[in-house]
Amino acid sequence: MPAPDLLTAELTLTGRITAASNATFLGSIGHTTVVYKPIAGEQPLWDFPNGFLAHREVAAYLVSEVLGWNVVPCTWLRDGPFGEGMVQLWQETDPDQNAVDLVASDDVPEIGWKHVLEGQDENGRMVALIHEDSPALRRMAVFDAVVNNADRKGDHILAMSDGHRHGVDHGLTFHRDHKLRTVLWGWLGDALTAEERDGIDRVSEGLRGELGRNLADLLSAEEIASVAARCARLRLAGRFPAPSGQMSAVPWPLF
């Protein structure tokens, strides 16, 4: 959890992130740069009618912490200039790295990348959606399956200079129904590693203890039960899940 001063010191807004669909601000708490998403700025969603997106963002961070993979940057609830909202530590990314990319279909790298799908760009040229084949991104894909992330766009993956990958924008998570929409389908059907299985087991165990108690302040009992059910299904299958249902398997836009 954040240092005490990040919970109580004044949050000053320094800008607005206009590309976001909900009110999202850049701010500072002392010398610490943060992202602030007030609950008052959330737009109603027909498929997520209950609860608050800010609560789901914090819940995603709590699950990330129990997994132990540092997928989600430190995220918490606190008061701000527009009322209570989600606050998250800002991450400085490496502009020269892209974990997810669109390339010409005949230019897909043979090593180090996973092919997801193909389509046509605005000029009618065939392009391929690809993502890197890295342990950090695999862990993010497992995390997304556990929290049922309905919006893993390419731009929601932050490429850090040291090779780490952070995931952000987790307001569309924890739905009781299958909602997994992601650009990270490259490992579909692959066996989970021992490390990945252990992470899922930590979440299952945590749901019966402190994690479950903390999530109870943020999610409904039915949503928490669905997390437990997803973990059980993942462990039983022992593999990365496949798309199901009639909905699109990828978010739109992709980035």
Side-chain angles (χ1 to χ4, degrees), residues 32-227:
T32 302
T33 303
V34 297
V35 175
Y36 165 57
K37 299 181 182 180
I39 291 174
E42 296 180 2
Q43 300 296 320
L45 297 170
W46 69 269
D47 54 345
F48 281 81
N50 302 315
F52 299 115
L53 305 186
H55 287 187
R56 297 178 187 278
E57 295 242 32
V58 175
Y61 167 69
L62 296 178
V63 171
S64 169
E65 285 294 280
V66 172
L67 282 168
W69 302 332
N70 192 27
V71 174
V72 183
C74 187
T75 308
W76 64 99
L77 287 174
R78 61 155 287 170
D79 195 32
F82 296 109
E84 186 179 59
M86 178 224 83
V87 177
Q88 185 175 82
L89 293 182
W90 173 261
Q91 305 297 312
E92 287 292 343
T93 61
D94 184 343
D96 295 326
Q97 295 189 43
N98 290 306
V100 182
D101 205 356
L102 280 174
V103 300
S105 292
D106 58 0
D107 197 29
V108 176
E110 294 184 5
I111 300 175
W113 292 82
K114 290 288 189 178
H115 180 279
V116 179
L117 57 82
E118 290 189 354
Q120 291 184 331
D121 66 12
E122 63 274 12
N123 297 313
R125 294 173 297 196
M126 293 302 297
V127 295
L129 175 68
I130 61 174
H131 63 69
E132 64 183 18
D133 185 9
S134 67
L137 219 56
R138 275 185 64 111
R139 291 191 288 266
M140 189 180 300
V142 173
F143 163 80
D144 284 342
V146 169
V147 303
N148 200 17
N149 191 354
D151 196 33
R152 175 62 72 202
K153 294 182 172 70
D155 285 346
H156 295 174
I157 300 168
L158 307 184
M160 311 306 292
S161 59
D162 62 357
H164 187 70
R165 279 32 181 156
H166 281 301
V168 295
D169 288 303
H170 297 114
L172 302 186
T173 49
F174 297 104
H175 201 286
R176 64 181 186 180
D177 300 326
H178 177 81
K179 292 279 187 180
L180 187 59
R181 289 191 293 263
T182 175
V183 296
L184 301 180
W185 287 114
W187 300 284
L188 191 157
D190 285 6
L192 297 167
T193 66
E195 179 195 17
E196 291 159 355
R197 296 193 301 271
D198 288 346
I200 296 169
D201 289 344
R202 286 193 292 273
V203 174
S204 295
E205 182 178 353
L207 290 171
R208 298 188 290 270
E210 184 178 5
L211 175 62
R213 292 190 294 272
N214 290 335
L215 291 180
D217 295 330
L218 303 165
L219 306 172
S220 71
E222 189 174 29
E223 289 166 335
I224 296 171
S226 294
V227 179

